[in-house]
Amino acid sequence: MIVGVDIGTSLTKAVVFDEDGSSIASACTPSEVHHLPGGRVEQDLDQVVGTVATVVREVAAALPEPVSALALTGQGDGLWLRDEAGNAVHPAISWLDGRANTVLAKWQADGVTAEVFRRTGSGMFPGCTAAIMSYLDTHEPEVLDRAAVAGYCVDAVLQRLTGEITVDVSDASLPFLNPATRDYDDGAIEACGLGHRRSLFAKPAPAKSVFRLDRRGAELLGLPVGLPVTAGPFDLPASAIGAGVRKPGDGILTAGTTLACQVLTSDPTFDPEAEPAGMFLCTPDEHEYLHAMPAMVGTAGIDWVCELLGISVEQIDPLLASSKPGARGVRALPFLSVSGERAPFVDAGARAQFSGLSLETGRADLVRALCESIAYAARHCFEAAGLSGQLYACGGGVRSPEWLQIFADVLGRPVVIPSDPGVGARGAVLTAADALGTPYDRDRWAANSRTVEARPENVTDYERGYADYQTSLSAARGLWRL
């Protein structure tokens, strides 16, 4: 039995699936996310590794058979600096971190982001590895001097469990990997002024690599030494695999802390002169890629509006239902992250706004306007990513029937929802099964999904709403400042 472990930003989850793709055992536990002054967001590697041990031990104890393998996935971006033994030399810096806002703004002005994009197809934002490393190289170079590897969450956990220093190609794609060669582009690294730190980038693991628990990892998890472990892809491509995205042109919407919009393609080429935003991700299949537009808007905005209005998340659906499409004239831009936006455009100064307010505006209108604006952001992302086929969706946001209907109506297409919410862990398990030579029947796993259809009477209204959104966005981009 393969245990899939999804190491999210705020929650680590372990799941085991049966042959039909249904969960037969699961466990979850929170991770600590430290929001510090200056837009800094950090995590403790030891605490995160501890969450993995907690959920794996709990799931293993509930299974009727021994664990046969461990499949890891988790959050991407950020910077997880470690020494040769896998110990953190600095608190892990989250992809949510904003300390490198000014670095990114300067790179945009100087053409660095455009140069890296031309080489790799991936944009950069303040929470990406390159920007954070550049910030540390200037302000805390001794931290980088102490490090043996500059990596990501999944490979940091893998190192602690197996002793291996490596990285999955999906993580390494951001932002220095050439998708066609699946290796680093040294010109991109040099463009960011990090050539002298080149040795910190681990060599990407070959496709379908399998590692083994060492004694330290086995003792931590309570599993046998030598147990097979796979690590990657990270949560965005893992979710695409787990949801059922298989044909070029198909896409997946992940309504989580971020709004991740991805489209599968078999073509590694991209427009080098396009706006330098989004990600061009390698997948476990050497002939497939994901064009990803992971916006910084998402359920974090819902948490914000709940706190602002003094309501619970459970009240969101009734409020959405009590305000009609168009939110009685209230419009919003949803850019609430302190590090701005990263897709389908990059602007560290991006900020939210509401318009059309009056004394008649109620809480329901504010909530609906925000949810509609996030759906408009999803449409903007999918237009940039090239969605042409079936759309799948997952994440905490799609558990809201009203918000899910808004997404379908704004996007003007049916949305397929997988039967089990743990699609990241599903993708990790499917990847591990392929690597171990015992693949599951993916058609069987996808059989229990459901589809939400767009409502034609709302699609026309949202066409006008989307046009208004684009007009407001264009005007706002000329006013944002750091």
Side-chain angles (χ1 to χ4, degrees):
M1 290 188 164
I2 302 174
V3 178
V5 182
D6 188 349
I7 314 160
T9 304
S10 58
L11 191 75
T12 296
K13 183 175 184 179
V15 191
V16 177
F17 302 93
D18 64 16
E19 293 184 353
D20 293 322
S22 298
S23 170
I24 59 173
S26 66
C28 63
T29 193
S31 288
E32 297 172 1
V33 182
H34 305 288
H35 293 267
L36 306 170
R40 299 175 183 231
V41 184
E42 297 179 348
Q43 294 191 265
D44 183 298
L45 174 57
D46 290 339
Q47 195 272 333
V48 171
V49 172
T51 67
V52 174
T54 297
V55 297
V56 170
R57 283 178 173 271
E58 183 176 340
V59 165
L63 295 176
E65 301 174 21
V67 173
S68 60
L70 193 66
L72 303 177
T73 186
Q75 58 179 297
D77 291 306
L79 182 63
W80 297 62
L81 294 165
R82 297 102 63 190
D83 62 19
E84 289 281 357
N87 299 311
V89 301
H90 186 280
I93 300 175
S94 170
W95 58 273
L96 291 165
D97 194 90
R99 76 188 69 193
N101 282 6
T102 55
V103 172
L104 196 284
K106 186 175 188 303
W107 281 355
Q108 287 179 310
D110 294 346
V112 173
T113 55
E115 175 64 15
V116 172
F117 183 82
R118 280 194 290 270
R119 291 175 171 274
T120 69
S122 286
M124 294 189 289
F125 70 105
C128 76
T129 301
I132 299 170
M133 282 188 69
S134 179
Y135 177 91
L136 291 178
D137 198 45
T138 299
H139 299 283
E140 301 178 63
E142 69 282 358
V143 172
L144 297 180
D145 293 341
R146 293 197 302 270
V149 57
Y152 307 82
C153 174
V154 176
D155 54 270
V157 173
L158 178 74
Q159 187 181 1
R160 292 289 283 270
L161 298 180
T162 68
E164 299 281 354
I165 296 178
T166 186
V167 64
D168 187 76
V169 287
S170 60
D171 267 320
S173 296
L174 311 172
F176 294 134
L177 209 72
N178 181 320
T181 66
R182 296 169 75 92
D183 204 352
Y184 295 111
D185 185 300
D186 287 333
I189 296 173
E190 291 287 350
C192 294
L194 294 171
H196 61 298
R197 301 293 187 183
R198 174 68 172 79
S199 63
L200 295 180
F201 299 115
K203 183 176 178 59
K208 299 185 178 181
S209 291
V210 178
F211 308 95
R212 303 282 172 174
L213 281 185
D214 63 13
R215 185 167 301 281
R216 180 171 68 161
E219 290 176 355
L220 180 70
L221 302 182
L223 296 174
V225 173
L227 187 83
V229 182
T230 59
F234 79 97
D235 58 5
L236 293 191
S239 293
I241 294 167
V245 174
R246 280 186 283 172
K247 297 179 181 178
D250 286 355
I252 179 171
L253 165 70
T254 303
T257 305
T258 57
L259 185 77
C261 303
Q262 305 176 81
V263 176
L264 188 67
T265 178
S266 57
D267 185 357
T269 62
F270 54 89
D271 180 2
E273 303 306 319
E275 182 158 3
M279 306 167 179
F280 208 88
L281 304 175
C282 293
T283 74
D285 186 323
E286 294 187 359
H287 304 291
E288 291 184 344
Y289 312 85
L290 282 161
H291 196 184
M293 291 287 167
M296 297 295 285
V297 302
T299 57
I302 303 304
D303 294 337
W304 170 83
V305 80
C306 285
E307 183 176 356
L308 182 72
L309 300 178
I311 61 176
S312 67
V313 173
E314 290 72 26
Q315 292 175 266
I316 292 294
D317 255 33
L319 286 170
L320 288 175
S322 66
S323 180
K324 296 180 180 180
R328 296 203 303 169
V330 180
R331 294 283 185 264
L333 294 179
F335 310 111
L336 288 157
S337 171
V338 294
S339 55
E341 186 51 275
R342 63 176 175 175
F345 62 91
V346 177
D347 193 326
R351 292 298 180 264
Q353 70 180 43
F354 286 84
S355 61
L357 303 176
S358 74
L359 292 175
E360 296 182 348
T361 298
R363 293 187 303 177
D365 303 318
L366 289 173
V367 170
R368 187 168 191 103
L370 179 61
C371 288
E372 289 179 346
S373 71
I374 295 172
Y376 292 141
R379 177 167 171 175
H380 194 187
C381 287
F382 277 123
E383 288 180 352
L387 176 66
S388 60
Q390 180 64 63
L391 178 62
Y392 300 81
C394 64
V398 303
R399 296 174 194 160
S400 162
E402 293 290 340
W403 198 13
L404 179 57
Q405 188 64 58
I406 290 173
F407 278 118
D409 293 345
V410 167
L411 293 165
R413 61 175 62 236
V415 181
V416 178
I417 312 299
S419 58
D420 192 285
V423 292
R426 283 164 65 99
V429 168
L430 288 169
T431 300
D434 283 342
L436 293 167
T438 56
Y440 290 94
D441 184 337
R442 297 197 181 196
D443 290 331
R444 192 171 171 183
W445 277 44
N448 296 324
S449 61
R450 62 187 177 89
T451 301
V452 175
E453 300 287 346
R455 293 174 177 168
E457 64 271 24
N458 293 340
V459 170
T460 301
D461 288 340
Y462 282 131
E463 285 289 339
R464 291 192 294 268
Y466 182 61
D468 291 342
Y469 171 86
Q470 289 283 23
T471 299
S472 297
L473 176 58
S474 296
R477 292 189 68 180
L479 300 174
W480 288 331
R481 298 289 185 272
L482 281 177

